[in-house]
Amino acid sequence: MRPNIVSEAGLQTRLGQWWESIPFLTSAVVGVCGTIYLICLLVGYDSFYEICFLPSAVLSRFQVYRIFTSIIFHGSVLHVLFNMMALVPLGSELERIMGSVRMLYIIFLLAISNALFHLTIALLVAYNPIHSDPFLMNECAIGFSGILFSMIVIETSLSGHQSRSVFGLFNVPAKWYAWILLVVFQVVMSNVSLLGHLCGILSGFAYTYGLFNFLIPGPSFYSTIEASSLLSTCVRRPKFILCTGGNPSAFIPTYSSQGTASSGFSAGSIWRNLSSWIPQRETSAQSAQDGHMFPGRGRTLGSGRNTASDANSESNLQVRLLDNSNSEHPSDMAVIGTGQQLSDGRRSTLNNTAVAAAEVPVHHQDYVVSEEEIQKLVSMGFERTQVEVALAAADGDLNVAVEILSQQG
């Protein structure tokens, strides 16, 4: 019996560690959706027609609450299970970039934009002069999958990968990934909402291309909410991610935010948006293994180096970082990529490194920074001037440059 007890304890420990690794808001959404489904199951509630997104009810009776109730209710155990399993990796990646409060705001924004797209398309189909069909006006949509499709588009645009795997069966170009999933789900599952998923994709592209930038407040808005006494309990939790991290702009990196915060409607921005989806050169197998997708904690940067070279590289990295940003970021206010202050021990380590740097001069190699490398890091949300300094300090190593920028915050 003892081996069974040990294995059960090990499973519980692994499940606990997995749950603790999920950021605050993502785990909260999973908990809320799961709890609501269990309550509906226990009390026998199945009147989803009252809370689903129904275009005719939203327009005729102005039942706007359906925009939000429809995304947290699910119709079956498989429905809620598959949606939450998809949310955990997607939501975790995006929340580590944006922060918990900003992520919540983006979910509300995507829910509203999905509803507006849904209403617009339903009205066009129902009242167009060529061939009107009121079917979509009376279609009842429910579930979190519309938001998930928006997240898929946003995460895919940020990853930089040229291809994506569909359930491990075959690879498709990254720019077609969300559309392929839309078709696959429609073929495999006959009762899914095609329009709900389609509107999620459209909202994801609209957000990625910067069309919603004017609706997104600045960092001070999120900082004020985080400093509120109402959220003090949540903010103190270790899983809560602050919004004052490595992304200096107030929103997730978009193609239109490269270099400047210009509108996504200008001709130059549109051309950059389109050209960014044109497949570029294939990356090597080694670079594909490197975790360069996202700044911030939750992903290991760099691989394939031995321990000794890692220690030397980190030491030199700290020296260069202090050399370049000592005047702007004092050591006693150092901030990591997720917005949390460094511990006293970490600050003392940086101070000691700074003293060593003052005694031993560091000789930087001359390195010409290419525009392609700059644009790669700018598309991840970093400022251009900081990117140029970081690339020069990292001698062109993108992973080291990302680490420098993340530590600078």
Side-chain angles (χ1 to χ4, degrees):
M1 289 186 69
R2 192 170 187 80
N4 292 334
I5 295 175
V6 172
S7 62
E8 290 176 3
L11 178 61
Q12 291 179 354
T13 301
R14 288 193 293 271
L15 286 176
Q17 292 174 345
W18 171 78
W19 180 253
E20 288 301 320
S21 67
I22 303 175
F24 178 80
L25 182 65
T26 302
S27 60
V29 173
V30 172
V32 168
C33 292
T35 301
I36 289 177
Y37 177 76
L38 288 177
I39 293 175
C40 293
L41 192 64
L42 292 176
V43 302
Y45 180 83
D46 58 356
S47 301
F48 298 120
Y49 197 80
E50 299 176 355
I51 48 86
C52 68
F53 186 79
L54 189 62
S56 59
V58 174
L59 292 175
S60 62
R61 295 189 290 272
F62 201 65
Q63 296 177 346
V64 293
Y65 66 87
R66 293 175 178 268
I67 296 175
F68 305 106
T69 57
S70 62
I71 66 176
I72 58 177
F73 282 82
H74 292 79
S76 67
V77 63
L78 290 180
H79 190 196
V80 66
L81 182 62
F82 287 155
N83 279 358
M84 296 304 103
M85 288 177 62
L87 172 65
V88 168
L90 281 172
S92 298
E93 290 285 3
L94 295 179
E95 187 175 353
R96 291 187 181 107
I97 297 176
M98 294 186 283
S100 300
V101 174
R102 189 185 306 173
M103 177 77 167
L104 179 62
Y105 180 86
I106 295 305
I107 289 178
F108 276 99
L109 178 63
L110 293 175
I112 295 173
S113 63
N114 287 358
L116 293 177
F117 278 121
H118 199 133
L119 290 173
T120 302
I121 296 176
L123 286 172
L124 289 176
V125 173
Y127 298 104
N128 72 85
I130 300 175
H131 177 69
S132 61
D133 188 350
F135 169 72
L136 294 180
M137 292 294 295
N138 299 314
E139 183 185 58
C140 187
I142 192 173
F144 203 80
S145 53
I147 305 295
L148 289 176
F149 268 87
S150 298
M151 290 182 175
I152 288 172
V153 173
I154 296 172
E155 192 273 340
T156 301
S157 69
L158 289 174
S159 67
H161 292 308
Q162 298 295 330
S163 63
R164 280 298 178 91
S165 174
V166 179
F167 306 118
L169 301 177
F170 56 91
N171 292 335
V172 297
K175 61 182 179 180
W176 299 111
Y177 179 60
W179 301 104
I180 297 297
L181 287 181
L182 177 69
V183 174
V184 169
F185 279 116
Q186 197 64 31
V187 171
V188 175
M189 305 175 186
S190 59
N191 61 337
V192 299
S193 173
L194 173 64
L195 183 56
H197 293 172
L198 174 62
C199 293
I201 294 177
L202 295 178
S203 294
F205 277 113
Y207 183 79
T208 300
Y209 281 80
L211 304 185
F212 295 157
N213 286 356
F214 69 98
L215 296 173
I216 302 177
S220 59
F221 172 80
Y222 306 110
S223 300
T224 302
I225 296 178
E226 291 168 348
S228 173
S229 58
L230 298 176
L231 288 182
S232 59
T233 303
C234 299
V235 172
R236 286 196 297 266
R237 294 183 63 86
K239 298 170 62 172
F240 191 94
I241 299 179
L242 299 176
C243 301
T244 54
N247 182 12
S249 60
F251 41 88
I252 198 169
T254 60
Y255 293 124
S256 63
S257 65
Q258 295 181 4
T260 61
S262 59
S263 171
F265 292 101
S266 64
S269 297
I270 293 175
W271 171 247
R272 285 196 300 272
N273 295 343
L274 295 176
S275 63
S276 62
W277 284 91
I278 299 176
Q280 305 294 329
R281 61 180 178 83
E282 294 292 334
T283 56
S284 64
Q286 176 64 28
S287 63
Q289 294 176 357
D290 293 339
H292 62 278
M293 289 172 56
F294 300 103
R297 88 186 164 187
R299 181 171 294 276
T300 303
L301 297 174
S303 59
R305 297 185 177 92
N306 55 48
T307 306
S309 62
D310 275 345
N312 294 333
S313 175
E314 182 178 357
S315 176
N316 292 334
L317 173 62
Q318 293 173 354
V319 172
R320 293 172 181 174
L321 179 60
L322 289 170
D323 237 359
N324 291 328
S325 62
N326 196 26
S327 60
E328 296 179 1
H329 302 282
S331 60
D332 60 339
M333 291 297 292
V335 177
I336 62 176
T338 56
Q340 299 172 343
Q341 289 191 354
L342 296 173
S343 63
D344 293 338
R346 179 66 170 170
R347 285 201 295 267
S348 62
T349 302
L350 290 177
N351 289 335
N352 294 336
T353 308
V355 173
E359 296 175 355
V360 181
V362 179
H363 300 284
H364 298 287
Q365 297 180 353
D366 293 335
Y367 176 77
V368 179
V369 180
S370 68
E371 184 65 22
E372 180 182 1
E373 293 171 338
I374 294 176
Q375 289 300 327
K376 284 182 179 179
L377 295 183
V378 169
S379 67
M380 297 171 70
F382 300 110
E383 293 182 353
R384 184 182 180 90
T385 55
Q386 294 180 351
V387 167
E388 294 175 350
V389 173
L391 281 173
D395 294 334
D397 191 321
L398 290 179
N399 290 331
V400 176
V402 170
E403 191 171 350
I404 293 175
L405 293 167
S406 299
Q407 292 182 11
Q408 285 180 332

